[in-house]
Amino acid sequence: MLVKVFGAAVQGIEATLITIEVNSSKGIKFMLVGLPDASVKESHERIISALQVNNYKVPRQQVVINMSPADIRKEGTAYDLPLAIGILATSEQIKADKLGDYLIMGELSLDGTILPIKGVLPIAIKARELGFRGIILPKKNGREAAVVNNLEVYAVENICEVIDFFNEKVSLEPTIVDTRAEFEQSQQTFEFDFSDVKGQENVKRALEVAAAGGHNLIMVGPPGAGKSMMAKRIPSILPQFTLHEALETTKIHSVAGRMGAETSLMTQRPFRSPHHTISDVALVGGGAYPQPGEISLAHNGVLFLDELPEFSRNVLEVMRQPLEDRKINISRSKFSVEYPASFMLVSSMNPCPCGYYNHPDKECVCPNGAVQKYLNKISGPLLDRIDIHIEIIPVPFEKISDKRPGEASNSIRERVVKAREIQAVRFDKEDGVYSNAQMTPKLLAKYASPDSAGLELLKTAMDRFNLSARAYDRILKVSRTIADLDCSENILSKHLAEAINYRNLDRETWANKL
């Protein structure tokens, strides 16, 4: 008897339908074909145990299973459940008439309990696209899949529930999530707020400009100046997720297995802060079976690299291309996957190994040449890709002891949102461009051309600081954002002057200070 059961394989953040054909005939062999990996081949032992523990017969026949299409590698343990259902159906222990209506995925434990899997959201989206009536998944993945409308989502705990469902002995209750209500309810809560920050008005201004235009930023200052504290508060001033952004970001975290059992949809922009010992593969993604890295997990949010010079040189250099393209392509001999990586890079560093170079009160104890060597750990091309450079000095006691709260994140976010709305109108017809930081040279010439006085100011700055052509583009992008915050249609000299001031950590400028 031949039966077909349907599952899915996830490649990148998209799912592909997998047809599992199970045929039983005379003999005693068990054959699994269709490019399964080792964990899929091991499913045979888990299936036998799960069926025997629950008093179901293991067919004493030759069973041949083909996982189609055969040119896509099947990985992981998520195929246990559809394979088990196919084996039961071909031995006529399950009615096969409704199998074609559902996409089935889940890992089996030895007692038949169904364990959670990765990549549920793209699988559910693919099931709806292909017209399946519903999807059968592990209990802990139910809410994640239920954000997909017009699809019946059945979350089950044991294989017996699935068997009884297809044999029409029980009816399963679909998992229902009010996606929009949950999305709107959870957007307003932030753990950190800028009202807690005392002083540092120039730094808060730089962060506001960065958030308004989606610009990359680096903060340089001594230990205890507040670099990490302010970085953690950046998500509180970013524009709220759109539903499309939330779904896209949730898909990435679903593929990486980062969604909790009670989480249905990500409602706040991600803030990722990897340790400086991270490998290049963990940062940008990859591996033998590619998985998204930190830059993709930070998609539509913030990637914070604390103590930037302490990161491996290779780790920082592989980030250069994703910073420009806002995506990462991972190629293997037989396939390639693409992960989105449109994130706002926020980084921090000490000015020298001891941390007190240029400190107003403490003396730097680094030997001659140590400061320049420390700064040289960050390559010029990477530094050019960071739009805003800002120096931080410690807050004096008078401001630390001030009881009055600083400006709240809500009021800063209102100005950021207004600037983003201006950009949304400006780039309405530009495919893939949503903020000033994403402008191409052609768009810069169209929307960020300064007047004659501004050009003269810019020429003087370029000559004085020996800035690169990429730094020139960055200054224009940042000045366009500052003008948007001022609701100014034209870029004025004051906007350019502020943008130039945010390039004060360029290599030549630092060399002059040394």
Side-chain angles (χ1 to χ4, degrees):
M1 181 178 178
L2 175 66
V3 298
K4 293 184 179 182
V5 184
F6 298 97
V10 178
Q11 292 183 306
I13 60 169
E14 303 298 331
T16 302
L17 181 70
I18 300 296
T19 302
I20 299 172
E21 302 170 312
V22 186
N23 185 40
S24 61
S25 58
K26 292 182 179 180
I28 55 173
K29 286 186 178 181
F30 177 88
M31 298 175 62
L32 179 59
V33 297
L35 207 60
D37 73 352
S39 57
V40 179
K41 293 177 180 177
E42 290 170 355
S43 65
H44 182 223
E45 309 305 323
R46 293 190 293 272
I47 291 170
I48 289 176
S49 175
L51 295 183
Q52 289 177 341
V53 167
N54 290 282
N55 299 317
Y56 289 95
K57 296 178 182 178
V58 179
R60 297 184 178 277
Q61 299 172 285
Q62 177 171 288
V63 176
V64 180
I65 302 176
N66 177 43
M67 304 179 76
S68 174
D71 59 339
I72 295 177
R73 188 166 184 81
K74 290 75 180 180
E75 306 163 4
T77 56
Y79 299 102
D80 290 358
L81 183 58
L83 289 172
I85 295 301
I87 290 171
L88 288 171
T90 195
S91 61
E92 299 184 349
Q93 297 179 71
I94 285 182
K95 296 179 180 178
D97 53 340
K98 293 196 299 184
L99 289 180
D101 295 338
Y102 297 92
L103 195 150
I104 306 170
M105 295 294 283
E107 176 186 344
L108 284 176
S109 66
L110 297 183
D111 64 355
T113 302
I114 302 175
L115 304 177
I117 60 173
K118 297 180 181 179
V120 164
L121 183 56
I123 290 172
I125 292 172
K126 177 59 68 172
R128 184 182 65 181
E129 287 178 1
L130 296 176
F132 282 95
R133 179 179 174 182
I135 183 170
I136 298 175
L137 295 164
K139 186 77 171 179
K140 292 184 178 179
N141 294 125
R143 289 180 59 79
E144 183 182 338
V147 302
V148 180
N149 298 324
N150 303 317
L151 182 72
E152 295 177 3
V153 176
Y154 296 115
V156 292
E157 290 185 294
N158 192 281
I159 190 173
C160 296
E161 297 177 48
V162 185
I163 296 170
D164 291 341
F165 172 72
F166 283 115
N167 286 334
E168 299 177 346
K169 293 181 179 180
V170 299
S171 59
L172 298 175
E173 288 295 323
T175 303
I176 299 174
V177 172
D178 189 337
T179 306
R180 191 164 294 277
E182 285 206 7
F183 177 67
E184 294 174 354
Q185 182 181 2
S186 304
Q187 279 201 321
Q188 302 296 330
T189 306
F190 294 98
E191 184 179 358
F192 304 106
D193 195 282
F194 270 101
S195 61
D196 304 325
V197 180
K198 305 295 178 65
Q200 304 289 19
E201 301 304 327
N202 64 322
V203 183
K204 286 194 277 189
R205 169 65 178 177
L207 295 177
E208 179 182 336
V209 173
H215 301 289
N216 302 323
L217 175 141
I218 183 170
M219 296 177 282
V220 180
K227 302 184 294 294
S228 300
M229 177 192 68
M230 285 186 280
K232 291 176 182 178
R233 285 159 173 76
I234 292 176
S236 69
I237 63 172
L238 291 173
Q240 294 178 352
F241 257 155
T242 64
L243 192 55
H244 172 75
E245 287 176 327
L247 282 168
E248 187 178 41
T249 306
T250 304
K251 282 172 71 175
I252 298 171
H253 285 250
S254 174
V255 169
R258 306 271 179 162
M259 302 294 291
E262 298 302 317
T263 306
S264 58
L265 187 70
M266 293 186 66
T267 56
Q268 293 185 359
R269 295 185 181 275
F271 179 86
R272 306 293 302 180
S273 181
H275 193 260
H276 60 78
T277 56
I278 191 171
S279 67
D280 51 355
V281 171
L283 184 69
V284 301
Y289 306 121
Q291 287 288 298
E294 289 290 336
I295 64 171
S296 295
L297 294 172
H299 181 63
N300 290 324
V302 176
L303 177 67
F304 178 50
L305 301 183
D306 198 9
E307 303 300 340
L308 191 65
E310 301 301 328
F311 283 79
S312 165
R313 183 70 173 243
N314 287 341
V315 170
L316 295 180
E317 293 307 302
V318 296
M319 205 167 50
R320 283 161 51 178
Q321 179 260 340
L323 279 172
E324 289 289 324
D325 297 343
R326 298 188 178 273
K327 61 184 178 181
I328 180 70
N329 290 294
I330 301 169
S331 298
R332 296 292 179 265
S333 59
K334 295 184 179 179
F335 65 95
S336 64
V337 297
E338 180 180 288
Y339 292 114
S342 180
F343 58 92
M344 178 178 164
L345 174 64
V346 178
S347 53
S348 70
M349 61 178 285
N350 293 330
C352 65
C354 79
Y356 295 108
Y357 179 74
N358 276 349
H359 194 281
D361 302 317
K362 298 184 179 181
E363 185 178 351
C364 176
V365 296
C366 297
N368 291 336
V371 177
Q372 187 65 63
K373 183 178 180 182
Y374 187 71
L375 297 173
N376 285 339
K377 289 184 177 182
I378 306 173
S379 68
L382 179 62
L383 201 60
D384 274 348
R385 286 170 168 81
I386 300 178
D387 303 350
I388 296 176
H389 310 162
I390 187 73
E391 289 185 84
I392 300 180
I393 59 174
V395 180
F397 175 78
E398 292 76 16
K399 290 190 176 181
I400 294 177
S401 59
D402 192 346
K403 299 297 183 182
R404 293 172 297 178
E407 186 178 18
S409 293
N410 282 341
S411 57
I412 300 175
R413 185 168 65 244
E414 287 176 5
R415 296 194 295 269
V416 169
V417 169
K418 286 181 181 178
R420 286 289 184 110
E421 288 172 350
I422 293 172
Q423 294 165 54
V425 173
R426 177 183 299 137
F427 304 126
D428 182 47
K429 296 182 180 179
E430 305 292 343
D431 186 34
V433 180
Y434 306 101
S435 65
N436 289 332
Q438 298 173 324
M439 281 194 289
T440 62
K442 182 179 178 181
L443 293 177
L444 276 175
K446 185 176 181 180
Y447 297 117
S449 295
D451 56 19
S452 56
L455 278 174
E456 187 62 31
L457 176 64
L458 196 50
K459 180 179 182 300
T460 302
M462 294 287 292
D463 292 340
R464 180 180 175 187
F465 301 134
N466 195 21
L467 299 177
S468 68
R470 186 178 281 115
Y472 172 83
D473 288 349
R474 297 299 193 230
I475 290 171
L476 290 181
K477 290 179 181 181
V478 174
S479 62
R480 179 66 267 173
T481 300
I482 296 169
D484 290 342
L485 285 168
D486 278 352
C487 298
S488 172
E489 185 175 347
N490 299 316
I491 296 176
L492 307 179
S493 294
K494 65 176 183 178
H495 303 142
L496 278 168
E498 184 178 351
I500 291 168
N501 189 51
Y502 292 142
R503 298 299 303 184
N504 61 355
L505 303 186
D506 276 313
R507 187 73 54 196
E508 291 77 8
T509 311
W510 273 100
N512 291 336
K513 290 173 66 174
L514 296 174

